[in-house]
Amino acid sequence: MTTLLRDKAMMVQLRICKPQLTKKDKNATTEVAMDKHASTSSVAVVKKLYPKHLIAPIVAVENAARRYLDSMTESRGVSLGLLPSKLFMKFHPRIGDFRIQFFQAVTVFLNNYANVMAQAQQGTGDMFDQSEYPDVAALKEQFTFDVIYPTLDASNSITLRMEEEALVLYRAEVEQQTLAAAQERNKKLYERLAVEVKRIHKQCSNPEGKIYDSLTGNLSDLLDILPALNLNEDAEFDALCKEAAVLVVNPIALRTVDAVRDDVASSAADILKKMEAFL
């Protein structure tokens, strides 16, 4: 019996909101347009409401959380992905850590709000408008970090709809579409693996290539995720992942032992050759 996608994975969505960080200044826009003999519809002076360096820690955590979601899922849109059930117990606590870090950064920002406002006024000069800034209590409510697990049935999953429709009149057409979607899913997996293998091959085959710890570390992290994302159960991809594991060599050995470096470069080249047909 064929296992449906809903039995192997779940949808996960990251919803992070922040207060408005920029705002168009109408007066300054008009002044610039007049000075440059331009139309106000073609010019916009946008001011940053909060000093960049003070809001940066919050934005950094947000970006890191979004990157983590992308790394663990098959993308279905902005901050929306298909998470293999096998990865849930790894994903759930880690994304929870990001949520804690996000609100810790928010707390630091709010506790420093008097200084934030002083620097905002200094930075925006004559464009500063106190009415554009909410009080601390209202501002706090505008920061949100939610992890949503919508059901596949309610997520407008094209793949799931095709699986259901394949049971009725348009079976042949929908099965063809499902196959195309599965092939596209596999291609993306091969591409993700190829990026790191190519990077290892490039650096190890060049005697002057820089060997950072991340060279093999990134591949090691990826190999913890990709097999679970192999929702089509592609045996050839699983085999390539196992083969790619031989490239995860201590970076110190790569930097100091030429023979090890050459062997890794050769192995990477062999793996890339096997992957050509799938890219």
Side-chain angles (χ1 to χ4, degrees):
M1 181 177 178
T2 303
T3 303
L4 294 177
L5 189 58
R6 67 170 70 111
D7 297 323
K8 297 188 288 185
M10 64 191 75
M11 296 299 294
V12 58
Q13 184 175 21
L14 194 56
R15 294 179 182 172
I16 301 176
C17 296
K18 303 185 299 296
Q20 182 179 5
L21 301 182
T22 62
K23 189 174 182 64
K24 179 180 178 180
D25 189 291
K26 294 182 179 179
N27 292 333
T29 295
T30 300
E31 291 174 6
V32 171
M34 291 178 63
D35 181 60
K36 299 300 181 182
H37 306 290
S39 168
T40 55
S41 62
S42 302
V43 175
V45 175
V46 178
K47 59 185 176 183
K48 295 179 180 178
L49 297 178
Y50 303 98
K52 183 178 180 180
H53 68 284
L54 295 179
I55 202 75
I58 299 173
V59 176
V61 176
E62 175 189 358
N63 292 341
R66 294 189 191 281
R67 289 195 299 270
Y68 179 68
L69 174 70
D70 289 342
S71 73
M72 295 288 285
T73 64
E74 177 187 302
S75 178
R76 291 301 175 89
V78 178
S79 295
L80 176 68
L82 193 63
L83 176 71
S85 300
K86 295 177 182 178
L87 295 180
F88 177 78
M89 293 305 293
K90 180 176 182 178
F91 173 83
H92 188 263
R94 185 72 182 100
I95 202 67
D97 289 341
F98 281 116
R99 188 178 189 279
I100 292 171
Q101 294 168 21
F102 179 82
F103 284 112
Q104 286 175 337
V106 169
T107 298
V108 171
F109 177 78
L110 295 177
N111 287 343
N112 192 35
Y113 198 46
N115 181 48
V116 170
M117 292 299 294
Q119 292 195 35
Q121 184 171 6
Q122 182 181 10
T124 55
D126 292 341
M127 292 186 292
F128 181 78
D129 182 351
Q130 180 72 47
S131 67
E132 295 172 340
Y133 295 85
D135 60 34
V136 175
L139 187 64
K140 182 179 180 180
E141 295 300 316
Q142 294 180 29
F143 288 100
T144 64
F145 189 116
D146 297 307
V147 185
I148 312 297
Y149 296 95
T151 64
L152 275 172
D153 297 289
S155 67
N156 291 323
S157 166
I158 294 175
T159 304
L160 181 60
R161 291 204 307 272
M162 289 192 294
E163 288 174 343
E164 292 172 343
E165 291 167 6
L167 301 176
V168 292
L169 181 62
Y170 304 106
R171 177 181 296 273
E173 179 181 351
V174 173
E175 286 185 348
Q176 183 178 3
Q177 294 174 8
T178 304
L179 177 60
Q183 291 173 337
E184 180 63 23
R185 178 185 299 126
N186 268 23
K187 183 178 179 182
K188 290 180 179 178
L189 285 180
Y190 282 102
E191 287 173 348
R192 288 180 67 173
L193 179 60
V195 167
E196 296 304 327
V197 176
K198 285 178 180 177
R199 182 166 168 251
I200 290 174
H201 177 260
K202 179 180 179 180
Q203 297 306 107
C204 290
S205 59
N206 178 4
E208 303 300 322
K210 299 294 184 181
I211 307 295
Y212 297 106
D213 290 352
S214 62
L215 182 65
T216 56
N218 287 348
L219 177 61
S220 179
D221 292 342
L222 196 61
L223 291 177
D224 286 338
I225 298 170
L226 289 185
L229 280 170
N230 183 18
L231 300 172
N232 296 330
E233 300 176 356
D234 181 348
E236 291 177 287
F237 182 75
D238 280 341
L240 279 170
C241 285
K242 292 178 181 177
E243 190 170 344
V246 304
L247 304 179
V248 181
V249 175
N250 190 312
I252 296 177
L254 293 176
R255 287 193 286 264
T256 58
V257 183
D258 290 342
V260 172
R261 186 168 176 146
D262 291 342
D263 285 345
V264 169
S266 178
S267 297
D270 290 341
I271 294 171
L272 289 173
K273 188 171 183 180
K274 293 178 182 179
M275 295 179 71
E276 286 179 356
F278 303 98
L279 297 174

